[in-house]
Amino acid sequence: PEYNAGFILGMLFGDKTEIDPDITNDFRATGIAHLLAVSGLHTSVWCGYIIAFLKLFKAKEKTRNIFCLLFLVLLCIVSAFTPSVMRASIMMAVVLFAPFFKEQQDPLNSLGFSVAILTLHNPYIITSASFLLSVSATFGVLFSLTIYEKIRYKFAKIKTKALKKTTEYLVNNFITATLTGLFTLPFTTYFFGVFSTLSPITNILCVKPAFWSLLSGVVATAISFIPHNFTQLIAISIFKISTIFANFVTGVADALEKFRFCTLPIHKEYFLLSIILIVTVLIIYSIIFSVSISRTS
């Protein structure tokens, strides 16, 4: 259905032209608009699938990385070189090139390198909302990973395996969603004038089903190119599965958007205040981190 097709297209290629305006508004209000902008999360997931598939054939690391790089080139072409796709692809390409130069992979340096390349090519890109939101969201995700790694050992005390995995998933998503919302706050304030209060909850509920919808949609599309009645039936069945996940995600966003406290209006005058808040958080974190290191040593 067109309603779901536009949504899946937006997740895969960042093409928002076919997305229903209601979906865009719901996603923006509930803090999951990043699902409609191809980001480092998208490219890392797809490269992860490619690497996992090639491992079945015992392909070497460099061979796997070459296939991933070719995929990133194709992704940039089909997405018409949109800023978020270019930033994500360059960042992932730097990570994939590291083994060829016998260097350690560093996502933060990769992010900085991709930003430098894109701004050198087009300095005016720093005024693009999608570019700024993509970069700040990625930085928030990377920052959340450092925090999560420091508290991960505490989950070892949980005896039940299922409870442990569930707790890890909820805590990880909550930290990621909260920090992503914090780091994108200056730009959502400036461009949209709103802040989503339900972003952590919506991300926990919607991120995985959204990727399941995306994955099944792509698999169904690939199968549909095989000219046989049986494969067409398989493709249709998988598309229906994709639609179920897509309906769940859009349904959750639509339901939560109706809450009055879902979004808080923030005037542009608070743009500077939000930046000060982020800087304060970074300073406090760096102080706590320095103290913990000194105590450990």
Side-chain angles (χ1 to χ4, degrees):
E2 289 185 19
Y3 185 79
N4 292 313
F7 166 62
I8 296 173
L9 268 176
M11 285 196 298
L12 180 58
F13 300 121
D15 180 8
K16 302 179 182 65
T17 55
E18 301 296 328
I19 300 176
D20 190 288
D22 290 337
I23 292 180
T24 304
N25 293 333
D26 291 344
F27 277 39
R28 186 176 295 169
T30 54
I32 54 173
H34 60 87
L35 292 176
L36 303 178
V38 177
S39 63
L41 185 61
H42 290 69
T43 54
S44 61
V45 167
W46 284 118
C47 287
Y49 287 140
I50 294 171
I51 289 171
F53 177 75
L54 292 175
K55 277 185 176 179
L56 296 174
F57 300 95
K58 302 188 183 300
K60 295 182 179 179
E61 182 184 18
K62 291 183 179 180
T63 303
R64 299 195 301 264
N65 288 7
I66 289 173
F67 274 96
C68 289
L69 289 167
L70 292 173
F71 164 77
L72 293 176
V73 171
L74 179 63
L75 182 64
C76 289
I77 293 172
V78 297
S79 62
F81 300 97
T82 55
S84 61
V85 178
M86 288 293 294
R87 197 260 333 136
S89 298
I90 292 175
M91 178 181 171
M92 184 57 59
V94 173
V95 173
L96 293 169
F97 267 120
F100 291 92
F101 298 95
K102 298 181 179 179
E103 295 287 343
Q104 292 292 325
Q105 299 174 344
D106 189 335
L108 190 58
N109 279 342
S110 303
L111 175 62
F113 182 78
S114 63
V115 170
I117 292 294
L118 290 171
T119 49
L120 284 172
H121 175 259
N122 178 19
Y124 295 103
I125 200 172
I126 61 172
T127 62
S128 166
S130 62
F131 174 76
L132 293 172
L133 287 170
S134 176
V135 171
S136 58
T138 303
F139 188 80
V141 170
L142 295 179
F143 187 63
S144 69
L145 289 175
T146 62
I147 295 177
Y148 179 71
E149 286 300 319
K150 295 183 186 305
I151 64 172
R152 192 176 183 180
Y153 71 94
K154 294 184 178 181
F155 299 119
K157 298 177 183 178
I158 302 175
K159 302 293 184 180
T160 310
K161 189 175 181 180
L163 180 61
K164 179 184 175 183
K165 284 190 174 183
T166 303
T167 306
E168 285 182 344
Y169 173 74
L170 293 174
V171 171
N172 186 23
N173 277 271
F174 180 81
I175 293 173
T176 302
T178 302
L179 287 174
T180 301
L182 177 65
F183 281 96
T184 56
L185 180 59
F187 307 111
T188 53
T189 301
Y190 184 80
F191 289 107
F192 311 123
V194 294
F195 175 70
S196 174
T197 58
L198 297 179
S199 176
I201 297 174
T202 318
N203 276 276
I204 289 172
L205 292 173
C206 294
V207 169
K208 278 203 171 181
F211 277 109
W212 290 333
S213 173
L214 178 61
L215 177 61
S216 53
V218 171
V219 170
T221 303
I223 293 175
S224 69
F225 282 105
I226 303 174
H228 194 280
N229 291 335
F230 180 70
T231 55
Q232 296 303 308
L233 288 173
I234 294 175
I236 291 170
S237 301
I238 299 175
F239 268 127
K240 288 182 178 179
I241 295 172
S242 179
T243 300
I244 292 172
F245 289 124
N247 283 334
F248 174 81
V249 175
T250 53
V252 168
D254 181 58
L256 294 179
E257 190 272 338
K258 289 181 170 61
F259 286 98
R260 289 187 178 181
F261 55 86
C262 179
T263 55
L264 291 177
I266 302 178
H267 300 290
K268 288 186 178 181
E269 289 78 8
Y270 294 105
F271 176 72
L272 182 60
L273 183 62
S274 60
I275 295 178
I276 294 173
L277 176 62
I278 291 176
V279 172
T280 304
V281 170
L282 287 172
I283 292 173
I284 294 173
Y285 174 78
S286 62
I287 292 172
I288 295 173
F289 181 61
S290 300
V291 170
S292 64
I293 287 180
S294 61
R295 285 180 178 177
T296 305
S297 59

